[in-house]
Amino acid sequence: KRGMWAEFNADEEARKADEKAKQEQERLASTKADQLKPRIEFLDVMVSELVSPMSMFIQIAKQSKVAELETMMADLAVSQMPKPADFAPKVGQLVSACYTVGDEWHRAKILKVLPGSEYLVSYIDFGNSETLAIDRLRPLSSKFASTEAHAQEAQLAFLNLPNDGFVSDYAAETYAQLRQLVEGRQLVANVEARPSNAPIQITLYDPALGRPVLEKSVNGEIAFAGYAVADKRALSSLHNSSALAQIESLVDEARNAHRGMWEYGDATADE
């Protein structure tokens, strides 16, 4: 052995490499475990729009946020830009849109360009959508476009719907149950997971019921009423296996009592 190799010990170097690899594995395992711990991130919210039995848009219910939205809406109402003759917004573009209920101007995003100069738009501060003619759209000033949307898409954590036949057979009942639990109420949401490029996953609690208890949450009520199944693959479930087990117990109870979608037996038996 010469030069730099004079003191080289292959066995010792192999041992060091193994030790380093082991430490790296332990670090990654620790990081993963830390990332998948149950999350605690409570927010005061209002549900501004129900999209589906499991999905919705929420607004932060802080007084400062409410005041900010009200001020922006008032400013937007008197600050409309003229519509250029060649105005033809593209998918994804932010515009000012005149909502058909009340003829009020709102910030909106173009979701789809339709035949006949019509556009499917989503109102980014509330979450609802509708189809509008080009005459009800205007360019949006940059001072309004730069403000973050006041509505955020969310879905109920730990829950999913069975695939076969559920939407057509039980959607109306689920919507009715969900509206009863969330409509017009200030709630507390715990953000159970924040997936990349996907809606946040939340558990909703009614603060009037006292401290947050999963069985009394909106999520728990929907499972207990028989309108959902546990979603083991959801990121929220990976974060909190204890909560998943509680949801599974509520689903089993609903199934055994033939509540909701379980009234004729196991809605997932053929899946």
Side-chain angles (χ1 to χ4, degrees), residues 8-264:
F8 179 77
N9 185 313
D11 291 339
E12 178 64 16
E13 292 301 318
R15 186 192 66 78
K16 289 179 179 180
D18 288 343
E19 182 66 23
K20 185 176 181 180
K22 182 179 178 181
Q23 290 175 353
E24 179 64 11
Q25 289 177 347
E26 291 175 349
R27 185 189 69 80
L28 291 174
S30 176
T31 299
K32 184 176 181 181
D34 186 61
Q35 290 174 341
L36 294 180
K37 287 180 180 178
R39 298 184 83 259
I40 299 176
E41 184 186 350
F42 288 109
L43 304 171
D44 293 326
V45 302
M46 295 280 291
V47 175
S48 57
E49 179 73 7
L50 291 176
V51 179
S52 75
M54 294 292 111
S55 300
M56 64 198 68
F57 281 87
I58 59 172
Q59 295 174 326
I60 302 301
K62 283 184 179 179
Q63 187 57 43
S64 59
K65 285 286 187 181
V66 174
E68 180 182 296
L69 178 58
E70 290 175 346
T71 298
M72 185 186 66
M73 294 285 293
D75 196 6
L76 188 62
V78 297
S79 304
Q80 290 307 306
M81 298 177 65
K83 180 169 74 69
D86 60 349
F87 183 53
K90 295 178 172 55
V91 171
Q93 183 175 338
L94 290 179
V95 298
S96 180
C98 190
Y99 186 35
T100 53
V101 178
D103 287 333
E104 293 182 335
W105 291 93
H106 296 255
R107 298 189 303 166
K109 178 184 286 189
I110 302 295
L111 298 181
K112 191 173 184 180
V113 180
L114 304 170
S117 296
E118 290 192 325
Y119 296 81
L120 177 62
V121 304
S122 172
Y123 296 104
I124 65 172
D125 296 308
F126 296 89
N128 54 319
S129 59
E130 67 173 343
T131 299
L132 295 176
I134 187 65
D135 290 342
R136 300 183 74 86
L137 302 179
R138 297 288 186 275
L140 185 66
S141 169
S142 59
K143 73 174 182 177
F144 297 116
S146 60
T147 303
E148 186 179 346
H150 283 265
Q152 185 170 8
E153 191 173 3
Q155 64 185 47
L156 295 179
F158 315 118
L159 299 176
N160 205 346
L161 303 176
N163 296 322
D164 297 335
F166 178 88
V167 172
S168 59
D169 293 341
Y170 293 97
E173 293 180 30
T174 308
Y175 272 119
Q177 177 84 2
L178 201 51
R179 283 195 183 94
Q180 183 179 348
L181 293 169
V182 306
E183 200 167 61
R185 298 187 182 188
Q186 182 168 323
L187 302 169
V188 173
N190 186 46
V191 181
E192 307 285 356
R194 288 186 175 272
S196 300
N197 303 315
I200 59 174
Q201 298 173 15
I202 61 174
T203 301
L204 288 172
Y205 300 95
D206 184 346
L209 299 179
R211 68 183 183 87
V213 176
L214 185 59
E215 288 84 352
K216 295 181 180 180
S217 69
V218 170
N219 308 48
E221 292 284 357
I222 292 296
F224 181 78
Y227 292 120
V229 294
D231 187 354
K232 297 180 181 180
R233 293 178 294 181
L235 184 57
S236 51
S237 298
L238 298 178
H239 273 296
N240 196 335
S241 58
S242 175
L244 173 64
Q246 293 178 64
I247 290 293
E248 287 179 319
S249 178
L250 292 172
V251 170
D252 287 341
E253 190 173 342
R255 182 189 290 111
N256 293 335
H258 297 282
R259 289 192 291 266
M261 67 182 178
W262 312 111
E263 62 178 325
Y264 300 119

